[in-house]
Structures are given as C-alpha cells and as structure tokens.
Amino acid sequence: MNSPRREDAIELHREPDERIPVGLSACLAGQPVRFNGGASQSKLCLQQLSKYFSYQTFCPEMAAGFGTPRPAMRLVGQPDSPTLTYSNRPGVNLSARLRQGFAGKLDQFAELDGYILMKNSPSCGLERIKVYQPSGYPHEQRVSGLFTAALKAQYPQLPLEEEGRLHDAKLCENFILRVYAHRNFRVDVLDQPTPKKLITFHSRYKYLLMAHNQAAYKSLGKLLANIDRTELDQLLPNYFAAFMEAISKPADARNHSNALMHVLGYLKNSVPSQARQNIESIIHQYRQGIVPLVAPLTLLNHYIRQYGNDYIRSQYYLSPYPESLGLANRLF
C-alpha cells in the first residue's frame, strides 16, 4: 500500500500523547476560585478529555483580584453593552476592573486550539448570560460573559464551548472536531504558509466540508481557484473564517450519508460489487438511525486502507480525531 508523499503528508490526527493545548475555566479544573470559595470540577474534562487536551487554566475574576469568597456578580444594563456589578450592590461598576485583570492575559492564548468555559458565569459564560434591567427582570436577549466576549473578539476562529454542553454527544463531537481542525490549520498551514499548504489542507478536508456544509464546500473551492491572483496574507484569514464557520454546527445524517457515498465511489473499480453493496446498505442503515456513524466509517476505512488511493486515504473525514475518543459510536 502506498502512503502519501512525505512532502505533502499531514497526519490525520494526533495521538493522545501529543495533547492539544486547550483553555479551561479554572473552576472546571477543580480550583477553588468560584464566588463561594468552591469549584465545579469537571470529570469529563479531567478524566476523559485530558488524555487528548493539555489545559491552560484561567479565572478572569481571580486575575482581576476579586479573591474568594466574594459577593455574587451579575450583568446589568443593556445587552449590547452590559455592566458587571455585584448582585447585592447593583450600583457598583466592576467592568473596568475585570477587563484590566484579563487584558494582559489574552495574548497568552494565541497557541490554544479551543477553550472550555463555565456556564452561567457573567465573565466566562458562552452565550446565554442574563442581563438584568433596573426592574430586576432580565432582558430577553442573552449575551456572552465579558471575558468570553473579549476572547471571541481577539480569536474569532477559536472553538469555544461550555462544559455543560459537552455532555451532549453531538455538541461534544463537533467541538472536538473543530479543535483538531483548528490545530491542523494553525500548525500545518499558518506555520510558514504557502499556497500549496492551503490547497493541501482544503483537499484533505473536502469530504468533511461536504458533510457539514455543501454550500461552503463549493464556495471555498471557488475561493481557492483564484489563489494565484490573491495575496496569501489576505486569503488565509478569509478562508479560515469561512472554513471554521462551515464546520461550526454538527453534520446531520443526510449530509454524512452523502459524503459517505462519495467516498465509497473511490472503491468502484477496486472492490467487488457485493462488498460495495454491503457498505452501501450500512450507509442507509446509518441514515435511518439503525447503526452509528462508526459502522460505515469502519467498513470504508478497512477497504480504503487496502484499495484506496493516496488522495482518499488522506481525507480527514475518515479520521478527524483519534478513534479512541469513541465519538462516532453514538447514534446521531
């Protein structure tokens, strides 16, 4: 079996001993930094994902010197410009102090490939934080915590997720997929970028893009068609933003099935008809929710390793993250 040429080679995933740097709210790491002096230790992060992620922990409220225990905080005012204050002293404006506490730390997160945040926190919450009106009732519109909003602004393509949402199988799989994709782009393209590296990256993510967003798959291909006439330093951020947006939502079974059938097409002339029909049957069973995604992927990988060409064997769709995570074993 031939393998991809060394000069073009990009590993399909990193093994667990090559852990990916990911940010983590300090309370989720078991550090006693919450307002009541406690923690919200995450077994998922510390016992399962720690085999694959190397954590950089941070608490913006502690960095701002609020200490612990401390009065509970909330956001007040207007959703487009909320103010951080104490829940029992709403006239005290704590926003500037919090921002000063984390402003000098944001540059330290440039080498991260994801960030796991604490839900419901006025500083670290991802997107459903209440902003209270003078009446005491929250606005209908919800926002990000102040630290998370600054993190998004400085690193708009960085995969972010709340720890609580990672207990949903589809959201967890999508977050981890985005973390590995971010890592691959940062290391394999942005490190001494060239048009060839970008084209190789796009080529190897072809079927994963197809499974997530067929419109983006086509538009990104058109974007790269003009690569020789576009300044690379302008093209890279535009491509990366569109790519990360394209994979920001979990792929559904219909689009997965479409991508799987395209991959199966590469075995048309090398695998007996009966075997291909068996694979196609498993793909249909997956689409109907009878078997998990791992079933057709395992069959395809088996035959592609033996009979596939270099191009199809190099597809990240077949192995977007370590198989030992077991993410494709779920029925979604």
Side-chain angles (χ1 to χ4, degrees):
M1 179 178 69
N2 295 327
S3 59
R5 292 176 296 170
R6 181 63 244 176
E7 62 267 28
D8 293 333
I10 297 177
E11 295 179 6
L12 292 185
H13 58 73
R14 271 76 183 174
E15 290 303 322
D17 60 347
E18 299 180 85
R19 295 184 298 164
I20 292 180
V22 170
L24 180 68
S25 290
C27 57
L28 295 172
Q31 298 175 23
V33 297
R34 297 203 70 198
F35 74 96
N36 59 4
S40 299
Q41 188 177 75
S42 169
K43 292 183 179 180
L44 173 64
C45 292
L46 300 183
Q47 297 181 12
Q48 299 179 43
L49 298 183
S50 62
K51 300 174 185 177
Y52 307 90
F53 296 163
S54 174
Y55 294 122
Q56 182 172 335
T57 60
F58 181 66
C59 174
E61 294 173 17
M62 293 296 286
F66 287 114
T68 187
R70 58 184 176 270
M73 299 176 184
R74 62 165 55 177
L75 296 179
V76 300
Q78 296 302 315
D80 58 351
S81 57
T83 297
L84 181 69
T85 187
Y86 290 121
S87 298
N88 60 357
R89 282 184 285 162
V92 179
N93 189 334
L94 304 172
S95 301
R97 181 177 173 183
L98 182 75
R99 290 191 175 99
Q100 290 171 3
F102 65 67
K105 305 293 185 180
L106 288 172
D107 288 346
Q108 299 178 11
F109 305 138
E111 300 301 310
L112 297 182
D113 294 301
Y115 210 111
I116 301 174
L117 298 150
M118 178 62 194
K119 68 177 182 178
N120 298 330
S121 165
S123 58
C124 294
L126 181 57
E127 56 187 17
R128 301 188 303 278
I129 306 305
K130 296 177 181 178
V131 180
Y132 289 88
Q133 305 175 64
S135 64
Y137 291 97
H139 289 276
E140 183 177 345
Q141 180 181 347
R142 304 299 166 90
V143 301
S144 298
L146 297 188
F147 166 69
T148 301
L151 190 65
K152 286 181 180 179
Q154 184 150 338
Y155 304 106
Q157 315 317 330
L158 184 68
L160 306 177
E161 191 53 273
E162 288 181 349
E163 190 273 347
R165 284 164 51 94
L166 293 178
H167 294 272
D168 179 289
K170 291 180 68 172
L171 296 178
C172 183
E173 190 274 344
N174 182 253
F175 173 70
I176 292 174
L177 180 148
R178 288 184 288 131
V179 167
Y180 275 85
H182 188 280
R183 169 71 169 182
N184 289 336
F185 192 86
R186 185 172 64 82
V187 172
D188 298 323
V189 179
L190 294 183
D191 184 14
Q192 301 180 342
T194 65
K196 181 180 179 181
K197 286 183 177 181
L198 179 57
I199 290 172
T200 298
F201 175 90
H202 179 75
S203 175
R204 288 176 170 163
Y205 269 102
K206 174 180 177 178
Y207 291 108
L208 191 143
L209 277 169
M210 181 183 291
H212 280 79
N213 191 318
Q214 293 190 38
Y217 156 69
K218 294 176 182 177
S219 64
L220 284 170
K222 292 178 180 178
L223 183 66
L224 293 185
N226 298 317
I227 194 168
D228 293 333
R229 298 190 297 272
T230 307
E231 292 293 333
L232 190 60
D233 59 353
Q234 297 176 4
L235 180 60
L236 283 172
N238 292 336
Y239 176 90
F240 194 28
F243 174 83
M244 293 303 294
E245 174 64 23
I247 64 172
S248 63
K249 301 291 189 297
D252 60 29
R254 180 178 63 84
N255 284 338
H256 265 308
S257 299
N258 178 57
L260 290 165
M261 291 298 293
H262 275 81
V263 172
L264 178 60
Y266 283 85
L267 301 175
K268 181 178 180 180
N269 298 321
S270 56
V271 173
S273 173
Q274 184 61 53
R276 296 198 313 273
Q277 290 176 19
N278 288 340
I279 299 172
E280 185 171 349
S281 174
I282 294 298
I283 292 173
H284 289 315
Q285 290 181 47
Y286 159 70
R287 182 167 180 168
Q288 295 166 357
I290 299 171
V291 300
L293 181 59
V294 70
L297 280 177
T298 298
L299 278 173
L300 282 170
N301 271 310
H302 170 75
Y303 285 104
I304 284 170
R305 279 193 292 267
Q306 297 180 67
Y307 305 109
N309 57 30
D310 289 350
Y311 173 76
I312 196 62
R313 284 202 302 267
S314 73
Q315 286 296 311
Y316 281 114
Y317 179 67
L318 297 170
S319 186
Y321 36 67
E323 292 180 8
S324 52
L325 277 159
L327 297 174
N329 294 338
R330 316 280 183 87
L331 279 172
F332 58 74

